[in-house]
Amino acid sequence: VEYSIVTHALIAWYKACGRVLPWRQTHDPYAVWVSEVMLQQTQVTTVLPYYARFLQQFPTVQALAAAPLAAVLKQWEGLGYYTRGRNLHKAAQQIVSEHNGVFPGEFEAVMALPGVGRSTAGAILTFAFSPVDKSKAHPILDGNVKRVLARLFCIDGTGPALEKALWPLAQALVDAAEDVYSLNQALMELGATHCKRSDPHCLLCPLKAHCQAYATSQTGIYPHKVKRPPTPHYAIAGAVIWKNNQVYIQQRPESGLLGGLWEFPGGKQEADETLEQTAVREVQEETGMTIKLGNAFTPIDHAYTHFKITLHMFNATWLSGDANTNQPFVWVNPAQLNDYAFPKANGVIVKALMASST
Ligand code: ADE
């Protein structure tokens, strides 16, 4: 394969057709890092407003390191995969304590930051540093780039085996390119806009003439799919408990799913249980409080990575029992709910409660 023909075609296409995005207009390693972490599991259009707000509130590594974790999670609210926000905060403190607050320019030091893997480190070094120092150019291999390369070269396999085969190809393209900044942006851009998982826009693709999957009508089978069991679907029931015009919320443990976010008490419906029974039982188990259920909110569907839920929430009045739990909890006026970060599925309920209180 003549790698330099591929890189030339890609880079020319990117320069003519690539989207202008805010993180493509800066070489500030802090801003580039924030963008790459936000983009790890999230699409460009979703990230745009979060990126702008985050940099406005935390314009420097120092500002991020000095902020309370709750403020960082509040900015992350709705973006999902909250471990990314916690890691970003922890990494900022590490940069302050171990690198005097200067974002590191060494690959190993960037890799050592929590939440930064090989591909993200490669992207940060390439985008922030390689334009002035070619030795900082590194290959990248995120989900989009894997798909592009697996099709371009018809590479079999899935998971770690596929990655092992693709890294040398990503490196070969880097070695063949003069402008690795544009090469890496182009690979991501192509994966996001044309080389999509289903119905790729092959007729518009700058690599049409070089793509081995396209030449053999096999774009549909590359990259090979992992066989996953169907995602389970849980019914969750819970309660917005009212006492003296305030509602009860509790904070989830730091570790685990949605760690550190606030929630209304609730949990999984068991077999042979009505949703009402689930809500009353979960509140009793989690808080020790006895409640009387009122009307139901509209059920909310939400998809997590490994399962789906339908959230059935009820208004409820407190009857007896003091909140008795190891988790932090507060009674708040609904107007204050905005000060707490909630999982995305709760957003509609929080909005409705806040609207009703004004
Ligand atoms: N996804 C990950 N990094 C990206 C970038 N720099 N531009 C667009 N999408 C991306």
Side-chain angles (χ1 to χ4, degrees):
V1 191
E2 199 58 76
Y3 292 110
S4 67
I5 298 181
V6 169
T7 59
H8 267 111
L10 255 178
I11 291 170
W13 167 80
Y14 170 73
K15 290 191 168 167
C17 307
R19 290 167 293 179
V20 175
L21 298 171
W23 46 88
R24 292 177 177 169
Q25 291 168 299
T26 177
H27 296 294
D28 172 7
Y30 170 68
V32 170
W33 169 50
V34 169
S35 75
E36 289 303 330
V37 170
M38 286 185 170
L39 289 160
Q40 273 170 357
Q41 279 120 326
T42 312
Q43 292 187 352
V44 164
T45 47
T46 307
V47 165
L48 283 169
Y50 283 90
Y51 174 80
R53 284 195 297 262
F54 197 93
L55 287 187
Q56 191 170 21
Q57 179 154 9
F58 314 114
T60 62
V61 173
Q62 285 81 2
L64 180 57
L69 176 59
V72 179
L73 291 178
K74 183 65 193 171
Q75 283 300 317
W76 213 268
E77 187 179 24
L79 200 52
Y81 305 95
Y82 297 89
T83 303
R84 295 183 297 171
R86 279 194 300 278
N87 279 336
L88 212 59
H89 184 246
K90 202 200 283 179
Q93 296 182 333
Q94 189 172 318
I95 293 167
V96 166
S97 64
E98 294 175 17
H99 304 283
N100 289 318
V102 180
F103 198 95
E106 297 301 323
F107 186 80
E108 296 306 325
V110 176
M111 275 283 281
L113 299 173
V116 176
R118 183 172 170 191
S119 183
T120 299
I124 296 168
L125 273 271
T126 302
F127 298 151
F129 300 109
S130 78
V132 294
D133 178 355
K134 291 222 167 118
S135 75
K136 306 289 183 182
H138 289 271
I140 55 167
L141 198 56
D142 70 0
N144 282 332
V145 179
K146 278 184 217 167
R147 195 165 58 252
V148 170
L149 298 184
R151 283 175 177 160
L152 187 57
F153 302 110
C154 283
I155 306 301
D156 294 330
T158 60
L162 177 63
E163 287 191 23
K164 190 158 187 257
L166 293 181
W167 275 113
L169 296 170
Q171 180 71 59
L173 293 175
V174 165
D175 293 340
E178 200 54 35
D179 174 3
V180 178
Y181 178 99
S182 298
L183 168 71
N184 282 351
Q185 293 285 10
L187 284 166
M188 290 172 162
E189 189 75 3
L190 192 68
T193 63
H194 286 350
C195 197
K196 300 197 285 190
R197 184 164 290 288
S198 53
D199 298 319
H201 306 157
C202 297
L203 295 180
L204 301 173
C205 179
L207 301 183
K208 184 171 56 165
H210 313 286
C211 180
Q212 296 178 23
Y214 180 68
T216 55
S217 304
Q218 295 187 100
T219 55
I221 68 159
Y222 287 101
H224 293 333
K225 289 182 183 65
V226 255
K227 290 183 222 70
R228 264 192 242 287
T231 53
H233 190 149
Y234 304 116
I236 307 284
V240 176
I241 308 166
W242 292 84
K243 184 172 134 188
N244 301 327
N245 294 318
Q246 294 187 309
V247 297
Y248 173 90
I249 60 174
Q250 59 190 22
Q251 191 173 25
R252 297 176 63 93
E254 280 297 324
S255 59
L257 180 77
L258 307 171
L261 299 195
W262 292 78
E263 65 177 6
F264 302 102
K268 274 183 216 166
Q269 182 181 32
E270 303 280 1
D272 310 322
E273 213 178 30
T274 65
L275 292 164
E276 286 83 355
Q277 287 167 334
T278 303
V280 169
R281 175 184 57 75
E282 286 284 343
V283 167
Q284 181 70 240
E285 287 174 4
E286 288 185 6
T287 74
M289 294 189 284
T290 303
I291 57 172
K292 178 176 159 39
L293 287 190
N295 61 324
F297 289 83
T298 306
I300 298 160
D301 290 311
H302 191 69
Y304 290 102
T305 320
H306 299 295
F307 59 93
K308 295 178 180 164
I309 62 163
T310 302
L311 187 61
H312 302 269
M313 295 298 292
F314 297 87
N315 274 305
T317 40
W318 175 86
L319 289 180
S320 65
D322 282 333
N324 175 16
T325 163
N326 294 327
Q327 290 168 241
F329 68 88
V330 282
W331 292 92
V332 289
N333 298 320
Q336 256 94 64
L337 285 171
N338 220 5
D339 299 341
Y340 300 84
F342 284 83
K344 187 158 183 138
N346 288 259
V348 186
I349 288 166
V350 170
K351 270 217 185 77
L353 291 171
M354 293 188 62
S356 72
S357 76
T358 53

